[in-house]
Amino acid sequence: MNRQIIKSLTFGAAGAMTCAGAYAQTAQQKARPNVIVILADDLGYGDLACYGAKNVRTPNVDALASSGVRFTNCHATAATSTPSRYSLLTGQYAWRKPGTGVAAGNAGMIIRPEQFTMADVFKSAGYATAAIGKWHLGLGDKTGQQDWNAPLPAALGDLGFDYSYIMAATADRVPCVFIENGQVANYDPSAPIFVDYQKNFPGEPTGKDNPELLYNQKPSHGHDMAIVNGISRIGYMKGGGKALWKDENIADSIASHAIGFIRRHADEPFFMYFCTNDVHVPRFPHQRFRGATNMGVRGDAIAQFDWTVGALVAELERLGIADNTLIVLTSDNGPVVDDGYDDRAEELLNGHSPTGGLRGGKYSAFEGGTRVPFIVRYPGKTKKGQLDKALFSHIDILASFAELLGVRIPAGAAPDSYPRYKALIGADTQSRPWVLEEAFNTLALRTPDWKYIYPVKGPAIVPWGTEIETGLNETPQLYNVADLKERKNVAAEHPDVVKRMNDIISAIRAENNAELRSLDALP
Ligand code: NG6
Ligand code: CA
């Protein structure tokens, strides 16, 4: 069965399908707004003032929300970064592809050059494209085989990005350098770079053996290998010299490279995939944000994120292109408080709930793992200050952009992404019939009324030091969505719903989407 037929069967019944007719217009007739996807890291559903946060001011994000649409029911596809980003950029659920778990900094490039990506959607429509900030999807051909002192043989240029200025993984993983267009930025020939995730390099200090060198931040668990900028990380590293980043300057570096790209392309359509390091660990915001909140570095990193958003929007306005720019702002997964550094985030919460009261958090199959802030602003198209309660998934963003631009997705590409442009801009407020989320080795299925967590064996709490409920359980879990905190498992009382949820998951797994036709018949 071809892709379009599968899609119309799946979504036809629920009336949420934008059918093949959406492609009737040619690319020339379509609007070509600039598009910026702002992806925060580990920013929770309750971490922004416009989502109810009290201890932090986020005026720039709030302004986007009040001039656009704020969604209250959008889900990332996974509760950790690598699979979440993989799905967002490829329109394929990460669990379909082995090797998409949280990636090491020396992972080979996980999205392969032959795959069609979100950047390719825009390239097909003649856009200039860029990826800036956190990447975390591997680089180079093979894991552990990269020569960081030479151009990488596989990098973002092979995935449709004309320009890239990225961190290979996360700030807590080596190599601690920016990579610009597939080569270490500010490369320092006097300090060649070596990376290893198995063993240290002779003579290099580590957080474990040399805690006295940790003048900026100490680990609370893990993160005790290479030391860069007085902070120990995951993985071993040698060299880098002048190319090594300073954590306090990461937000500025990312923002200034994004602004540079915007300026260079102000007079042609551009797409920017812009991923902040905030608010992932190690949280080490610039001095000017220190004390911006009463929550210590985690709160101050949220303030720094907000500043970053403001800096980008101000540049668009200065250039007179803000009205022709569609901005999507969201987060890759739910929040975490202690994620391995002794940064006092826990004790300084001061009553703040990063998940906004949802159960679980980052890593978790519970709602806090994947329900994320989601704001869309496209002046003239999105309604100012709209509150959208519809169920929406990151997985549909790719096909929705293709729909907006009249770009045809190649056969077999982005198999899980549905064109829901009208839903993306809030013009259609129907829920997606279901959204699917990955956490550990389970899947959770959310419909407008129910949340189901597929039974798997596993620890109840994240086993490595972070105090978050995993949501894993050997017995099926079913929660009524009215039970916001997922307190009462009602699986035993609703065997029919459990069966239906299992059937849907099996059908999605088998890509037998025709099975999903009677989705709207859920009791
Ligand atoms: C975990 C790390 C955590 C974070 C996470 C990935 C330890 C003990 N914990 O393994 O600090 O890096 O991986 O986060 O190493 S993510 O947002 O990029 O998925
Ligand atoms: Ca993350």
Side-chain angles (χ1 to χ4, degrees), residues 25 62 101 147 215 219 224 261 275 277 280 304 314 327 343 359 459 487 493 506:
Q25 277 183 291
D62 300 352
D147 178 355
Y215 54 84
D224 60 357
F261 174 79
C275 304
N277 168 53
H280 198 280
Q304 181 169 267
I327 298 177
D343 61 7
R359 189 169 180 182
R487 284 292 158 214
E493 293 147 52
S506 306

Side-chain angles (χ1 to χ4, degrees), residues 449-451 478-484 486 488 490 494:
D449 300 322
W450 301 102
K451 164 74 174 281
L478 183 72
Y479 299 97
N480 192 312
V481 167
D483 174 16
L484 181 79
E486 298 168 286
K488 191 165 185 289
V490 293
H494 298 280

Side-chain angles (χ1 to χ4, degrees), residues 465-485:
T466 292
E467 293 273 311
I468 289 179
E469 289 183 291
T470 61
L472 305 180
N473 201 311
E474 273 177 276
T475 57
Q477 293 172 82
L478 183 72
Y479 299 97
N480 192 312
V481 167
D483 174 16
L484 181 79
K485 291 184 193 284

